């Protein structure tokens, strides 16, 4: 038990001290927990997340946790039970519209942290949030959100077999979320999550 706690503590220390990507802004942000059967995978922190010290802590988070609240999962309970990972753990900076998309090297640099968390927790369910996160899981080439949102998938990731149920990014800039098909498929995805065995066991039993 002590060695596992030490392994986890060392992971957090490595993550928080990482300086591999010179174009990233600010310091790493994490939402890790010592034990979890579920991992959520965001894209990257926004400009406000470092100040709050946790992912999805600002407006996109209000939308995200509003979605989960619809199926009976409160924000603080979610944060206590789900290892909240991200494709990149630092704020990428601003682009002309919204936040800059991390480049391939930055994604690769940060992947060691996700790999550790998947191998460490051996999750039964992973929830990618946003296209960059979905890209890390989807194995069939190009896709539209309509092809993946509202569906459940299964694959092996870093040697661990897991289910994954994607959500679109909850950013206010994501107009797809407000379309009729978007609203319908988001609700279907939430229902799929609520009915997943590990969600039922962790949040409702």
């Amino acid at each position: 038990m002590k060695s596992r706690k030490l392994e986890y503590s060392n992971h957090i220390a490595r993550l928080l001290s990482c300086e591999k990507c010179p174009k990233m802004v600010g310091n790493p942000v994490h939402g890790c927990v010592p034990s979890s059967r579920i991992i959520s995978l965001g894209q990257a922190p926004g400009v406000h997340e470092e100040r709050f010290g946790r992912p999805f802590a600002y407006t996109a988070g209000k939308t995200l946790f509003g979605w989960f609240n619809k199926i009976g999962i409160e924000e603080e309970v979610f944060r206590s039970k789900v290892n909240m990972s991200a494709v990149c753990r630092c704020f990428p900076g601003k682009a002309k519209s919204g936040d800059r998309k991390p480049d391939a090297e930055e994604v690769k640099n940060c992947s060691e942290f996700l790999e550790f968390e998947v191998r460490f927790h051996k999750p039964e369910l992973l929830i990618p949030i946003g296209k960059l996160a979905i890209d890390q899981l989807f194995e069939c080439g190009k896709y539209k959100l309509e092809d993946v949102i509202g569906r459940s998938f299964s694959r092996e990731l870093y040697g661990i077999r897991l289910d994954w149920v994607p959500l679109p990014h909850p950013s206010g800039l994501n107009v797809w979320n407000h379309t009729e098909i978007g609203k319908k498929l988001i609700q279907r995805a939430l229902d799929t999550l609520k009915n997943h065995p590990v969600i039922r066991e962790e949040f409702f039993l």
Side-chain angles (χ1 to χ4, degrees):
M1 182 63 72
K2 285 185 179 179
S3 62
R4 186 170 171 83
K5 287 182 178 179
L6 180 60
E7 190 179 7
Y8 173 78
S9 297
N10 288 342
H11 166 67
I12 299 301
R14 286 195 305 272
L15 193 162
L16 293 178
S17 63
C18 182
E19 297 180 338
K20 287 183 178 180
C21 303
K23 290 188 292 184
M24 288 293 187
V25 179
N27 298 307
V29 174
H30 81 88
C32 300
V33 292
S35 178
S36 182
R37 299 168 66 192
I38 306 163
I39 288 179
S40 68
L41 183 65
Q43 299 190 147
V47 66
H48 299 284
E49 269 66 21
E50 184 184 353
R51 176 160 54 95
F52 290 100
R54 58 186 191 174
F56 287 107
Y58 208 61
T59 52
K62 290 180 181 178
T63 298
L64 177 67
F65 290 110
W67 290 345
F68 283 118
N69 194 56
K70 288 181 180 179
I71 58 171
I73 300 175
E74 296 180 358
E75 176 177 350
E76 294 308 320
V77 178
F78 184 95
R79 290 186 184 276
S80 72
K81 290 179 175 286
V82 176
N83 191 93
M84 297 186 70
S85 303
V87 176
C88 290
R89 310 299 172 104
C90 296
F91 174 51
K94 287 291 185 182
K96 289 183 179 179
S97 176
D99 296 343
R100 179 179 68 84
K101 181 181 178 181
D103 62 35
E105 183 177 2
E106 291 168 330
V107 170
K108 182 180 179 181
N109 285 344
C110 225
S111 65
E112 67 173 275
F113 302 120
L114 176 62
E115 179 176 359
F116 173 88
E117 289 159 18
V118 170
R119 292 183 183 276
F120 182 81
H121 290 301
K122 297 179 174 56
E124 297 160 58
L125 175 65
L126 193 148
I127 307 169
I129 303 166
K131 193 173 185 305
L132 182 63
I134 297 169
D135 288 347
Q136 313 310 308
L137 279 295
F138 196 66
E139 300 176 288
C140 301
K142 293 183 179 180
Y143 64 91
K144 296 179 180 179
L145 287 176
E146 292 91 325
D147 299 327
V148 295
I149 304 300
R151 297 178 59 193
S152 178
F153 301 86
S154 181
R155 64 161 291 176
E156 189 173 289
L157 183 66
Y158 301 122
I160 305 300
R161 172 61 59 175
L162 50 77
D163 296 332
W164 62 280
V165 178
L167 290 171
H169 198 279
S171 167
L173 296 176
N174 189 353
V175 297
W176 185 87
N177 296 347
H178 305 289
T179 64
E180 287 305 311
I181 187 66
K183 289 186 283 188
K184 178 181 177 180
L185 292 180
I186 289 169
Q187 187 58 54
R188 185 181 296 172
L190 293 170
D191 291 339
T192 300
L193 285 168
K194 184 175 183 179
N195 290 318
H196 191 280
V198 71
I199 293 286
R200 290 204 308 269
E201 291 169 13
E202 289 294 301
F203 293 99
F204 300 112
L205 295 181

